[in-house]
């Protein structure tokens, strides 16, 4: 199932995260036969980027192709397996800070002057 990772390789982090967000919406609504809301209809975003839509649709196609059926026919177990895969991949998207970045942050923190309250 983790073969899905190749679809997001070399994609901007924001684009990959957004696509996984809309993929999650798609899978969650698939269990409701009568729910037909457009997964990209999002009040918090004026317009969903076309690249995000393409990536989301590629992810949907991959999952349904791999499973051999549309998401609306997934069992609870299949649904949960895919949600676990998505969660695992999303978690791995967080970049690990380099040693240099950590050292720079520590230096800045050490140089901070913390004012003493109540004393003149």
């Amino acid at each position: 199932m983790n073969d899905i990772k190749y679809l997001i390789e070399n994609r901007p982090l924001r684009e990959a995260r957004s696509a996984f967000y809309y993929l999650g919406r798609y899978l969650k609504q698939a269990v409701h036969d009568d729910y037909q809301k457009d997964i990209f209809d999002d009040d918090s975003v004026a317009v969903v980027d076309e690249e995000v839509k393409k990536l989301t649709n590629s992810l949907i196609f991959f999952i349904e192709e791999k499973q051999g059926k549309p998401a609306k026919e997934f069992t609870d177990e299949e649904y949960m397996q895919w949600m676990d895969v998505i969660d695992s991949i999303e978690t791995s998207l967080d970049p690990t800070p380099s040693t240099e970045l950590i050292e720079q942050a520590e230096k800045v923190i050490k140089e901070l002057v913390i004012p003493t309250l109540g004393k003149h």
Side-chain angles (χ1 to χ4, degrees):
M1 285 187 180
N2 286 338
D3 299 332
I4 197 169
K5 275 186 162 183
Y6 84 90
L7 291 172
I8 61 160
E9 285 180 354
N10 303 317
R11 299 287 189 136
L13 183 60
R14 181 203 57 79
E15 191 175 292
R17 284 200 180 284
S18 294
F20 277 121
Y21 169 76
Y22 292 112
L23 172 61
R25 287 178 85 174
Y26 175 80
L27 292 175
K28 288 174 186 172
Q29 87 169 23
V31 297
H32 303 288
D33 292 330
D34 61 341
Y35 192 74
Q36 297 299 320
K37 183 177 178 183
D38 180 358
I39 61 169
F40 300 111
D41 184 11
D42 194 342
D43 294 336
S44 65
V45 179
V47 176
V48 178
D49 183 275
E50 284 303 314
E51 289 302 311
V52 170
K53 286 182 178 181
K54 286 180 194 174
L55 180 56
T56 303
N57 287 324
S58 294
L59 294 167
I60 291 168
F61 178 80
F62 178 90
I63 288 174
E64 291 182 336
E65 184 77 13
K66 193 83 163 170
Q67 209 58 45
K69 57 186 166 184
K72 68 181 181 179
E73 295 176 10
F74 285 8
T75 64
D76 289 344
E77 183 178 309
E78 291 166 332
Y79 168 79
M80 289 307 298
Q81 286 174 336
W82 282 108
M83 292 306 289
D84 287 344
V85 167
I86 292 165
D87 181 57
S88 173
I89 294 171
E90 272 192 298
T91 300
S92 73
L93 291 177
D94 287 328
T96 304
S98 67
T99 303
E100 181 181 329
L101 184 60
I102 292 170
E103 289 171 356
Q104 288 175 348
E106 288 173 343
K107 182 180 176 190
V108 169
I109 291 169
K110 285 178 185 175
E111 292 174 356
L112 287 175
V113 176
I114 301 174
T116 306
L117 300 176
K119 295 184 180 179
H120 295 82

